[in-house]
Structure formats: C-alpha cells, structure tokens
C-alpha cells in the first residue's frame, strides 16, 4: 500500500477531525446526563405509581362522589374528605381574593411607579427575601397574628379564615415577583406612546400595561395558588383539625376546619393496613386539584408566550 | 386653561392636565404604595413575633439548658443541638441527591436537548415541582423507606434522617434544575463557538468552558437548594422519626428545626398551656429564619454577579 495514497490520507484526516470512535468520554458524559433525567422521571413515575394502586381501588369501589362528599369518620371504610375539600377550596378563594389584588398592586408600584429612593429599594429587597422564607415560619406568623393574637376576635382563632390569611401572606411575594416580571416584559414603546398622547401614569398602566401583562400575571397567580393549596406546614401551626369534628361546611369561615394536605399528613401516620387506601385516595384527589390548577397555568402561559 | 383659550402663551398649568385627573393619579399612587407596604409590614411582623417570643423563651430557661443532650420540649428539655444536627444531616443527604442530579438534568436540558426534547421534559420537571411536599412525605414512608433505605442499610429504623433527606432531595431537584439551567443558558453562545473553533469537542466545551462561565449562577442554585432543604417541613415530620436525641449519623431517627416545630404545634390541642413549650418553637423559628435569610442573601449576591458579567 502506498504510504501517501490520497484516499487513505483523506480518510485518516477525516476520521481524526471527526474523532470517530474516539469520543468515549463524550458519550459517557452524555449517558451520565441522561441518567440524571431518567432518575428524575423514574422518581416521578414511582411516586405516582405508589399512590395509584390502593387509591384508585378505594375511589372506584366507593365511588369518587361518596369519598368526596362524606365527612370525617374514625372508621377508614366510612371516612371521607368533604371538610378537607371545603377547607382547601375556601382557602383558595381567600388567597385569590387577597393575594391577587395586593400582589398585582405591589408589582405595579415596583415597576411603573419606581423612583430610585430608599422606600422602593426597601420594598424590593423585602419582597425578594420574603419569597425565600420557609412556609413553616409563615405558620408561626399566622399563629401569632390570627390564632392567638390581635386578630383572634375577627378570625375566630383556628379557622379557615386564619388559614386563608396566612397562606395569602405566604404566596404574596410569589405573585409580586411573577407579576413584576410580566409587567417588565411589556415593551417600553407602548408606554411612551401612551404618554405621548397625554395619558397619566395610571391611565397608561390601566389601559396599556396591565392588559398586555395580564397573561403573565394570571399564570404567576395560578402557580402561586397551586403552591398554597399543597402546603401543610403552616396549617399545622394555624391549627387545622385532624380528628372527627362537626361543622367545616361551606361558608363556615370562623369555625373548626381542615384541609386536604392536613388530612394526608395525618392519615399517613395511621396504621397502613387499614388507612392506606383512603390516604392514597386523598392524595389522588389533592393531586387532581393541584396538578389541574397547574396545568391550566402552564397552558395559559404557553398560549400567551405564543402570541408574543 | 383660560389662558390658552384667550390665545395667550401656554403656561405650565395648562400642560399639567385637569385637576380631577391629577387627583385620581394621586389617589392611585397612594393606594399602590400602601399595597406595596404590606410586604414591609409582613416582614416587620415576622421579625417582631419571632424575636419577642424567642427572647421570652430564652428568658424563661437557663442558657445552659440549650446544651441538653435531648430535645424534648414537653418535658422542659431544650437540647437545641439535636434538631440542628438533624437539619445538617437531612440537608447534606438532600444536597448530595439534588445537587448532582439537578445539575446533570440542567446541563442536558441547556446544552444537549433539542428544542423538542426540551419542550417535553421541562413540563415533567415542573410537575415534580408542583407535587405537595406532604405527598412526597407519604412517598418517603411507603416507598423510599421499604424499597431503598431498608434494603441498602439493613437494621436501620424505618423512619430516619436518610429517608427524610432522600425525600427532601427529590423535592429540591426542580429548584436546582431551573436555577442551574437559567445560569447555563445565560452563557453567551460566542464562548461555545470560540471553543468549537479551536477544535474542542462538545464535552470539553461544556465541562471546561460553559460550566466554569456559569459557576456563579450554579453556586446560587446550590445555595438556594440548601436553603429550601433546610426549610422543608412535612417530609421530615412524616419520615424522619421525630426523635429528640442527638443523631450520630443520617441512619439514626431524629428531628430537624422544622419538624420539631411541627411536632410541638400538632399533638395536643392545648399546647400553649404547657409552660414555655410552645414558645420554644418561636426560638427554633428565629434560628430557621436567620439561617435561610443569610443563605438567600448570599445566593442573591451570586445571581447579581452573573448579571453584571454578561
């Protein structure tokens, strides 16, 4: 074989450049990265599978309506999550009514009324730091303010109103941060157009900025809401019920209450042989609510993203 | 107004709009400021309640009581080292899980995945992020404990800090992934192109160029994940064992700052009546608040460093 045959040279150079067959570390690295994702997916699948078996059995043998509409009972085969559903839905409504307007107003202040002074900088720093405060600390605050503290006569102590107020405070920074991001994404030229025809700051905000930022704001609020509904730690401190109690129906804002995450937490610690089925069923119902809300949020976000 | 109508020169007053619009503007601004101030009030309220009750608790005990060997607040034993060590072990296990897995997933999503793969995998990570922690707590008791830890470490208690740490790690992965991915994607693509231009392979480019360039953001993600793991309550409350003794290793049952707070608050209906037991959780809350706040501030520094660079 001739040492300098052009075909051979070309082949050797080409394979050297492409590093064919020699990129073992590259392949190994990619396999390593993919296995990280596989672990994440596997964990999620295992989690969903671990709550599906007995949970689906319970729901199908008893009927979803029976399980959802029955109040607490000390007997697992008779117990339902009616009071938990009421508590969770009511807190959601309170959070939406309080955290949404307050959060959006704060975001408008930070983005549209921003003056570089100590007050705005303070508010900005405070909101950023509040977002990282653990949920259980908000529970302590809720306890100190609404359960044992100055607002007890208004909230009735350990009540769904206290829980709703506490969770509103918890999601407020999330709503502010995501709304501020959505407002920041509105193009400057739109505002300048508004000011150019003589509109005031509020008129520009109300008619140009907010309608354009609405998608992002809505998504942020919805995701915040889903987070609030899954929280159990603050509810332990606010004093959600886990034993059989009367009441806890619709509209009972100041009486005893419970919520879905509390029910799951309590039933998880009861003897598995008898309580596993209803615990899993309660988890499935909660996941349905939380993931349902999240899906709506993600779909809305994708729709608004596409428009841009 | 009258000046303009009369055909004279315009004055400043003519340009400032009519009085009712200005009044409205004023009212709106005051209302918005008031709304924004809620957050400041909330912060002050958190610090105030934590400080007042924590100090009143500290005043009611001897400070040497904090060095007790166990944390059993209902019996007046306040060995704070037990929950602190528990938090340390749980966080360590959680970060050893969430750090590498979260980073690996982020590197794949940012550097390797095609847009289509990214669009399908991203929502899965988001689903994991939205699973309530109490559900992960159940998963830790019924799956992680019997299927993983009980098999790997025979003879360890069914509920221990390792079980809790693995559960908390699972919860922390999405945060680590999303912060790291943002950091990696913020690396300008001309750095990658320059690397390819010099003949570097993909793996060399990612490991030697992209990851070092994103390191501030990655560190921020790690710190935020640690802070999140320290603050996680329900998984440890359900799966950690709730024992007040000092844990010697993650395989011991134990408690954490957060789980200790939850156990005092749950249980009896009249916890406040039992001496200073209930006040003790405000002390724990203050420790927790100080820990997570300093970590979050540190993470914020790193995030700002990324922004300044690019």
């Amino acid at each position: 074989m001739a040492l300098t045959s052009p075909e051979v040279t070309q082949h050797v150079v080409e394979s050297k450049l492409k590093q064919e067959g020699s990129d073992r570390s590259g392949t190994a690295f990619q396999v390593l990265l993919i296995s990280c994702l596989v672990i994440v997916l596997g964990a999620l699948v295992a989690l969903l599978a671990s709550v599906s078996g007995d949970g689906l059995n319970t729901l199908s043998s008893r009927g979803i309506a029976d399980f959802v509409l029955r109040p607490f009972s000390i007997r697992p085969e008779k117990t339902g999550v009616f009071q938990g559903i009421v508590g969770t839905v009511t807190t959601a409504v309170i959070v939406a009514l309080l955290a949404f307007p307050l959060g959006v107003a704060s975001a408008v202040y930070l983005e549209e009324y921003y003056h570089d002074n100590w007050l705005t900088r303070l508010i900005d720093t405070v909101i950023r730091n509040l977002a990282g405060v653990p949920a259980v600390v908000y529970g302590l605050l809720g306890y100190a303010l609404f359960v044992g503290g100055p607002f007890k006569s208004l909230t009735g102590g350990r009540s769904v109103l206290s829980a709703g107020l506490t969770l509103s405070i918890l999601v407020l920074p999330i709503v502010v941060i995501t709304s501020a991001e959505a407002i920041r994404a509105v193009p400057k030229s739109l505002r300048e157009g508004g000011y150019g025809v003589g509109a005031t700051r509020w008129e520009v905000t109300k008619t140009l900025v907010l309608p354009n930022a609405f998608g992002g704001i809505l998504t942020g609020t919805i995701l915040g809401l889903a987070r609030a509904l899954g929280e159990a730690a603050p509810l332990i401190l606010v004093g959600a019920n886990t034993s059989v109690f009367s009441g806890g129906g619709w509209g009972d804002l100041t009486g005893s209450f419970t919520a879905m995450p509390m029910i799951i937490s309590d039933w998880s610690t009861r003897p598995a042989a008898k309580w596993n089925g209803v615990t899993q069923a309660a988890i499935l119902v909660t996941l349905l609510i939380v993931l349902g809300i999240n899906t709506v949020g993600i779909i809305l976000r994708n729709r608004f993203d596409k428009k841009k | 107004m009258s000046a303009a109508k009369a055909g004279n020169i315009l004055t400043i007053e003519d340009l400032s709009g009519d009085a009712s619009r200005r009044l409205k503007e004023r009212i709106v601004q005051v209302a918005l400021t008031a709304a924004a101030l809620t957050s400041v009030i909330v912060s002050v309220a958190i610090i105030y309640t934590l400080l007042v009750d924590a100090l009143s608790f500290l005043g009611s005990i001897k400070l040497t009581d904090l060095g007790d060997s166990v944390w059993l607040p209902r019996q007046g034993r306040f060995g704070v080292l037990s929950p602190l060590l528990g938090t340390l072990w749980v966080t360590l296990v959680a970060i050893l899980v969430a750090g590498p897995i979260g980073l690996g997933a982020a590197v794949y999503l940012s550097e390797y995945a095609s847009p289509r793969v990214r669009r399908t995998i991203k929502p899965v990570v988001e689903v994991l992020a939205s699973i309530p922690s109490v559900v992960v707590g159940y998963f830790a008791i019924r799956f992680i404990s019997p299927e993983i830890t009980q098999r790997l470490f025979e003879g360890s208690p069914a509920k221990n800090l390792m079980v809790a740490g693995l559960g908390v790690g699972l919860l922390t992965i999405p945060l680590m992934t999303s912060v790291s991915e943002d950091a990696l994607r913020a690396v300008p693509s001309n750095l990658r192109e320059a690397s390819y231009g010099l003949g570097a392979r993909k793996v060399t480019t990612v490991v030697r160029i992209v990851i070092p360039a994103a390191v501030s953001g990655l560190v921020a993600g790690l710190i935020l994940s640690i802070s999140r793991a320290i603050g996680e309550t329900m998984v440890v409350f359900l799966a950690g064992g709730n024992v007040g003794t000092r844990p010697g290793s993650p395989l011991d049952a134990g408690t954490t700052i957060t789980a200790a707070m939850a156990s005092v608050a749950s249980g009896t209906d009249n916890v406040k009546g039992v001496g200073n037991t209930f006040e003790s959780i405000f002390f724990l809350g203050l420790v927790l608040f100080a820990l997570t706040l300093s970590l979050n501030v540190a993470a914020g520094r790193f995030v700002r460093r990324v922004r300044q660079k690019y």
Side-chain angles (χ1 to χ4, degrees):
Chain A
M1 205 200 273
L3 209 64
T4 51
S5 146
E7 293 88 52
V8 172
T9 316
Q10 192 192 346
H11 179 75
V12 168
V13 169
E14 206 177 289
S15 78
K16 275 282 174 207
L17 279 178
K18 284 185 178 167
Q19 294 185 321
E20 271 167 3
S22 70
D23 193 17
R24 252 182 248 138
S25 60
T27 318
F29 186 62
Q30 209 167 335
V31 167
L32 195 73
L33 296 180
I34 291 179
S35 55
C36 287
L37 276 176
V38 169
I39 293 175
V40 176
L41 296 185
L44 187 64
V45 169
L47 190 147
L48 293 178
S50 80
V51 297
S52 298
D54 290 354
L56 284 177
N57 272 343
T58 309
L59 284 180
S60 64
S61 68
R62 284 186 40 179
I64 294 180
D66 179 67
F67 183 69
V68 166
L69 293 177
R70 259 180 204 278
F72 271 165
S73 158
I74 46 165
R75 303 231 303 272
E77 62 278 9
K78 281 211 162 169
T79 196
V81 292
F82 175 65
Q83 289 134 320
I85 300 270
V86 172
T88 293
V89 171
T90 313
T91 38
V93 172
I94 295 173
V95 170
L97 288 178
L98 271 178
F100 180 66
L102 262 183
V104 176
S106 307
V108 167
Y109 174 80
L110 284 178
E111 292 300 318
E112 299 298 308
Y113 287 76
Y114 189 87
H115 300 286
D116 195 16
N117 59 21
W118 66 271
L119 182 66
T120 353
R121 276 198 300 270
L122 173 75
I123 294 174
D124 195 53
T125 315
V126 155
I127 289 174
R128 263 165 226 298
N129 286 316
L130 277 181
V133 173
V136 68
V137 173
Y138 283 103
L140 278 180
L141 178 70
Y143 175 86
L145 286 182
F146 308 124
V147 180
F151 297 103
K152 192 180 179 181
S153 52
L154 178 80
T155 59
R158 302 160 161 255
S159 67
V160 76
L161 191 56
S162 299
L165 290 168
T166 307
L167 292 179
S168 301
I169 297 177
L170 184 141
V171 296
L172 183 62
I174 305 176
V175 177
V176 178
I177 289 173
T178 48
S179 303
E181 263 165 28
I183 290 173
R184 210 174 306 143
V186 174
K188 258 211 167 73
S189 54
L190 210 63
R191 296 185 183 88
E192 281 157 6
Y195 290 131
V197 296
T200 64
R201 199 179 283 268
W202 173 239
E203 285 160 356
V204 167
T205 306
K206 192 179 66 176
T207 54
L208 296 171
V209 177
L210 284 181
N212 272 285
F214 190 67
I217 292 176
L218 199 64
T219 312
T221 311
I222 289 175
L223 296 179
L225 195 63
R227 153 113 200 263
L229 295 188
E231 286 290 355
L235 299 183
I236 293 185
L237 283 141
V238 173
N241 242 302
T242 51
S243 50
V244 176
F245 68 105
S246 58
W250 295 110
D252 182 9
L253 289 182
T254 53
S256 285
F257 82 107
T258 191
M260 292 310 290
M262 277 305 287
I263 295 181
I264 297 170
S265 164
D266 186 56
W267 289 358
S268 296
T269 57
R270 297 191 184 186
K274 283 188 171 173
W275 285 87
N276 215 8
V278 283
T279 312
Q280 291 189 11
I283 291 176
L284 284 178
V285 170
T286 309
L287 284 182
L288 211 65
I289 299 173
V290 171
L291 296 183
I293 294 176
N294 260 305
T295 312
V296 171
I298 289 171
I299 290 173
L300 282 176
R301 184 187 61 196
N302 288 348
R303 177 169 297 178
F304 283 105
D305 277 355
K306 252 180 213 153
K307 264 191 193 164
K308 279 173 204 159
Chain B
M1 271 300 178
S2 54
K5 259 180 203 161
N8 295 335
I9 35 165
L10 282 167
T11 62
I12 292 290
E13 214 175 292
D14 292 316
L15 290 173
S16 59
D18 64 82
S20 78
R21 278 171 79 201
R22 261 181 299 167
L23 181 68
K24 199 172 170 194
E25 187 66 28
R26 198 77 211 133
I27 294 172
V28 166
Q29 186 160 1
V30 170
L32 292 176
T33 313
L37 279 174
T38 335
S39 299
V40 178
I41 298 170
V42 165
S43 300
V44 172
I46 289 180
I47 294 170
Y48 177 80
T49 46
L50 289 180
L51 272 181
V52 167
D53 284 331
L55 288 178
S56 122
F57 165 73
L58 288 177
S60 72
I61 59 162
K62 291 196 297 290
L63 281 183
T64 47
D65 290 352
L66 294 175
D68 200 317
S69 58
V70 286
W71 173 267
L72 284 171
R74 283 181 215 286
Q75 296 170 26
R77 302 186 64 180
F78 300 107
V80 76
L81 211 56
S82 300
L84 280 178
L85 274 176
T87 299
L88 183 73
W89 285 127
V90 167
T91 309
L92 197 68
V93 174
I95 281 310
L96 287 177
V97 172
I101 295 181
L103 178 63
V107 171
Y108 188 83
L109 286 175
S110 148
E111 304 299 315
Y112 285 89
S114 66
R116 223 190 74 222
V117 173
R118 209 175 155 267
R119 266 204 305 278
T120 23
I121 292 179
K122 202 89 212 273
V124 176
V125 180
E126 278 170 349
V127 166
L128 186 61
S130 63
I131 299 224
S133 62
V134 65
V135 175
V136 176
Y138 173 88
F139 179 65
I141 309 177
R142 296 277 183 263
F143 184 87
I144 295 178
S145 172
E147 302 296 333
I148 299 176
T149 55
Q150 291 296 296
R151 280 170 199 229
L152 288 179
F153 310 100
E154 273 175 47
S156 62
K159 292 182 180 180
N160 63 30
L161 296 172
M162 175 78 85
V163 179
L166 291 173
V168 174
L170 181 60
L171 264 179
T172 322
I173 289 174
L175 178 68
M176 182 69 199
T177 305
S178 74
V179 180
S180 309
E181 202 203 335
D182 287 347
L184 292 166
R185 289 168 81 85
V187 175
S189 55
N190 53 21
L191 283 186
R192 297 184 184 86
E193 284 152 14
S195 171
Y196 292 138
L198 290 171
R201 289 173 301 156
K202 178 111 190 171
V203 56
T204 318
T205 307
V206 170
V207 175
R208 304 275 291 275
I209 306 292
V210 180
I211 291 181
V215 79
S216 303
L218 300 179
V219 171
L222 201 64
I223 298 176
L224 285 176
S225 303
I226 292 174
S227 165
R228 175 70 172 277
I230 291 176
E232 174 48 44
T233 308
M234 291 317 293
V235 176
V236 194
F237 179 62
L238 288 176
N242 280 329
V243 178
T245 46
R246 273 186 206 169
S249 82
L251 290 174
D252 289 339
T255 189
T256 59
I257 304 175
T258 53
M261 290 165 73
S263 351
V264 170
S266 67
T268 68
D269 279 328
N270 210 356
V271 267
K272 206 170 186 195
V274 202
N276 51 6
T277 300
F278 199 80
E279 278 179 341
S280 70
I281 70 176
F282 284 90
F283 168 66
L284 290 182
L286 186 65
V287 174
L288 177 68
F289 180 75
L291 263 177
T292 51
L293 184 67
S294 38
L295 285 171
N296 291 338
V297 169
R301 291 254 162 89
F302 279 103
V303 169
R304 266 198 297 283
R305 198 180 289 176
V306 181
R307 286 212 193 111
Q308 278 165 4
K309 239 159 98 189
Y310 305 117

